[in-house]
Every structure is written in structure tokens, then in C-alpha cells.
Amino acid sequence: MPIIVDVDVMLAKRKMPVGVLAERIGITPANLAVLKNGRAKAVRFTTLAALCEVLDCQPGDLLRWEPEEEHPAADLAVQRPRTREELTNPAAGREQLGG
């Protein structure tokens, strides 16, 4: 995901344990870990505001954007599903595919 969460950086700068931050902002340590490890799909503004208040920072100190890396597999054409005959006899579908 191109949005990077730098909560761990601010925690280190403030020398604050994860559990203390979770308690102060009112979320579970497990949910804070999801956010901190970049697995969160969304962040509520109330949570972001609480993070900024407790860590004495701005949203830009916690979030940054980086372009996504392009994956070579994404450039491949979408292939049609193979028929049962093609699965059992690999040469069966080559004529249709131009091979």
C-alpha cells in the first residue's frame, strides 16, 4: 500500500511503549499493532487526532505516501479459464491460444 504509517518512529522519538500509547488513545494494543505494522485499511480521524494529541505531532509525522511498486505479473494479460480437456490434455488448448 502506498500509505506508510510511521507510528513506530514517533513512539521511538517519544520513548513511549506501545501499550501506553494504546491505553492513552483508547484502542487495543492489537489494533494499534495493525496500524503500526501497515496492515490497516483505514484510520478514523478521531484515532488520528488522538495519536497526534498523545504523541504531540502532526498527521504528516505519522503518515506518508510512497508510490506503489509495479509488479511484473500485473502486466500479464488476463487468461481465460482452462477447460477440463485442456487441464487433462495440455496440447488441447494451444490451437485456440495461437501456440
Side-chain angles (χ1 to χ4, degrees), residues 63-77:
L63 303 172
R64 61 188 161 90
W65 177 84
E66 287 187 2
E68 279 192 72
E69 292 181 19
E70 295 204 15
H71 299 286
D75 295 334
L76 297 176

Side-chain angles (χ1 to χ4, degrees), residues 6 10 14 48-49 51-53 55-64:
D6 286 327
M10 290 306 296
R14 302 294 186 251
L48 184 58
L51 283 165
C52 290
E53 183 178 348
L55 293 171
D56 189 30
C57 65
Q58 294 294 312
D61 297 326
L62 301 174
L63 303 172
R64 61 188 161 90

